[in-house]
């Protein structure tokens, strides 16, 4: 029973850049840095792989260290609770995590005011369980991607989106940085599954300006 239109602004990155292009992660890192620096609010960044967290470590750590800003990036062997504790000790911290942060973590109030979703959380098609499901749909003459993979991704995206608004007093912005959602047919299906209308953006400066007005 949330008033999403009043509580949330949802932005989607509308650009021709391919998410598989090496420049993509550099651009997203640049955006995260600018958003964090300008808005000065706690930010949670959800990744879909450890490869992305490693890329952010390489690209963002030197910048944040230079400015003496708090950046916490998930890595194997570090407990989620410890990361969350460190994150909450700073008012403008950025926490970058994967898998376990998409669900089952509560950040009410101002603990997350900016949520960034790097890519749509599609299941790995090479996972044996996922592959068997895809084969089952195909065997019955159905489009496994549209009937199974897209709805699953939409459900996981909603779970990630849910990290932002946990009660009636929460507010914040969600930024989905996956350029495919503005250019592929399945993008509309996924975006329509969210409870608020997306605002496409091309330049991070405009996003920052709109977010400052919202806050």
């Amino acid at each position: 029973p949330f008033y999403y239109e009043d509580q949330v602004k949802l932005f989607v990155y509308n650009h021709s850049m391919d998410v598989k292009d090496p420049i993509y992660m550099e651009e997203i890192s640049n955006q995260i840095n600018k958003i964090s620096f300008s808005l000065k609010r706690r930010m949670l960044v959800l990744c879909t792989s450890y490869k992305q967290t490693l890329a952010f470590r390489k690209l963002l750590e030197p910048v944040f260290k230079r400015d003496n800003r708090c950046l916490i990036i998930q890595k194997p062997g570090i407990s989620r609770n410890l990361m969350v504790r460190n994150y909450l000790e700073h008012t403008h911290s950025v926490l970058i995590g994967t898998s376990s942060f998409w669900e089952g973590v509560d950040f009410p109030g101002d603990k997350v005011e900016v949520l960034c979703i790097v890519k749509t959380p599609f299941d790995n098609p090479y996972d044996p369980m996922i592959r068997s499901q895809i084969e089952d749909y195909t065997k019955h003459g159905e489009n496994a991607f549209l009937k199974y993979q897209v709805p699953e991704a939409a459900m996981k995206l909603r779970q990630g989106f849910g990290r932002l608004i946990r009660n009636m007093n929460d507010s914040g912005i969600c930024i989905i940085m996956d350029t495919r959602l503005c250019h592929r047919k399945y993008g509309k299906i996924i975006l329509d599954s969210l409870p608020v209308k997306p605002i496409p953006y091309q330049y991070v400066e405009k996003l920052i300006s709109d977010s400052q007005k919202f806050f």
Side-chain angles (χ1 to χ4, degrees):
F2 300 133
Y3 298 100
Y4 283 109
E5 291 295 337
D6 297 325
Q7 291 178 263
V8 185
K9 284 284 185 210
L10 171 63
F11 298 95
V12 183
Y13 189 28
N14 182 11
H15 200 280
S16 58
M17 189 183 299
D18 190 329
V19 295
K20 294 178 182 175
D21 191 321
I23 299 171
Y24 169 77
M25 287 304 289
E26 291 180 23
E27 171 58 29
I28 297 309
S29 295
N30 184 46
Q31 289 190 26
I32 289 169
N33 177 46
K34 285 183 176 178
I35 293 163
S36 170
F37 186 82
S38 301
L39 298 184
K40 293 183 169 50
R41 292 173 186 270
R42 285 199 186 96
M43 180 189 297
L44 174 64
V45 180
L46 295 178
C47 299
T48 55
S49 71
Y50 276 109
K51 186 178 177 183
Q52 291 165 22
T53 61
L54 289 172
F56 284 133
R57 186 177 298 279
K58 180 181 175 184
L59 294 162
L60 287 174
E61 264 193 351
V63 181
F64 273 68
K65 276 184 180 174
R66 184 191 66 210
D67 297 340
N68 199 29
R69 287 185 284 150
C70 180
L71 175 68
I72 299 149
I73 302 179
Q74 186 177 10
K75 58 183 176 181
I78 304 296
S79 81
R80 186 175 73 177
N81 289 341
L82 177 62
M83 290 175 63
V84 170
R85 204 156 54 239
N86 291 340
Y87 167 73
L88 295 177
E89 283 176 0
H90 301 83
T91 52
H92 306 149
S93 51
V94 175
L95 171 58
I96 298 178
T98 183
S99 54
S100 61
F101 283 95
W102 281 83
E103 54 184 290
V105 185
D106 267 341
F107 291 108
D110 63 353
K111 293 177 177 65
V112 173
E113 291 181 282
V114 181
L115 173 68
C116 292
I117 296 175
V118 178
K119 288 184 183 177
T120 306
F122 285 107
D123 286 322
N124 180 1
Y126 299 105
D127 180 287
M129 292 291 289
I130 306 304
R131 183 180 281 275
S132 69
Q133 290 275 12
I134 291 171
E135 287 172 357
D136 190 55
Y137 275 86
T138 307
K139 191 166 65 179
H140 289 88
E142 294 187 277
N143 185 323
F145 182 70
L146 289 177
K147 292 282 187 177
Y148 171 61
Q149 290 169 274
V150 168
E152 283 288 309
M155 181 184 71
K156 288 183 180 174
L157 188 69
R158 286 198 305 273
Q159 288 174 335
F161 177 84
R163 300 311 96 205
L164 186 61
I165 301 298
R166 307 303 293 170
N167 61 51
M168 293 290 287
N169 298 316
D170 284 352
S171 64
I173 64 166
C174 176
I175 308 157
I176 303 177
M177 296 166 156
D178 191 333
T179 55
R180 295 172 295 185
L181 297 186
C182 289
H183 300 281
R184 304 277 179 91
K185 287 183 179 178
Y186 66 79
K188 185 175 186 321
I189 298 169
I190 290 174
L191 291 173
D192 283 350
S193 73
L194 297 174
V196 63
K197 193 173 166 121
I199 303 165
Y201 76 97
Q202 280 190 303
Y203 303 103
V204 71
E205 290 77 14
K206 179 70 166 66
L207 179 151
I208 290 168
S209 171
D210 288 350
S211 299
Q212 286 169 332
K213 289 173 188 169
F214 172 73
F215 284 123

